[in-house]
Amino acid sequence: MKAIYPGTFDPITFGHLNILEKAAKMFDEVILAVADYTAKQNYFTLEERLEQCKEAAKGIPNIKVISFSGLVVDFARQNNCRILIRGLRAVSDFEYELSLALTNIKLSEDIETVFLVPSLRYMYLSSSMIRQLAELDGELKDFVPPHVIKALKERVRGG
Ligand code: ADP
């Protein structure tokens, strides 16, 4: 069975990769789907996020990294996929993730959201925290892969 793990990945972190590795063990194929449209102001462009995700996921054989625009349920249908993976961290994710999953059910009854919980050490890791840490020149090596650290440093230096 195939699953889609959609998100902004701005940037991809070890928390996302932890969820991706778990999903890759559960499903025959997982599409890491990098969203073009988001309600947030993106730090990295779609092309940058796509390249960062491809590099980060290259060691996992049954992963495909693709970008998408529009509704994730439409993207799922185009790919003959009925499973969406989302990560659940602390309680703070719950409201948002539940409303997103319910909206997707409303849009498409036959597509299910599967929630995966990360390992404890990634429970409080978020892309927004990483961006702040990078801006403040904090140590990043425990949270994101080396190529993402490089991209973050370049972005901070470039203003
Ligand atoms: P969004 O899709 O809301 O823009 P992200 O791209 O950051 O958010 O994350 C995609 C999915 O991965 C979401 O379900 C989010 O809750 C989950 N996620 C993000 N960071 C982690 C983490 N450290 N551990 C587990 N799941 C995570």
Side-chain angles (χ1 to χ4, degrees), residues 1-18:
M1 203 189 281
K2 206 195 287 188
I4 291 178
Y5 179 29
T8 315
F9 307 107
D10 193 24
I12 189 161
T13 70
F14 287 148
H16 295 124
L17 286 168
N18 186 246

Side-chain angles (χ1 to χ4, degrees), residues 5 7-9 15-16 19 40 86-87 89 93 97 118 122 125:
Y5 179 29
T8 315
F9 307 107
H16 295 124
I19 296 294
K40 310 168 201 167
R86 294 288 289 180
R89 289 164 291 188
D93 273 345
E97 290 294 337
Y122 302 124
L125 176 52

Side-chain angles (χ1 to χ4, degrees), residues 90-113:
V91 189
S92 51
D93 273 345
F94 186 76
E95 283 283 331
Y96 174 70
E97 290 294 337
L98 188 66
S99 68
L100 193 62
L102 288 170
T103 305
N104 284 333
I105 289 175
K106 179 90 181 142
L107 291 170
S108 185
E109 279 282 351
D110 57 342
I111 294 176
E112 299 293 345
T113 301

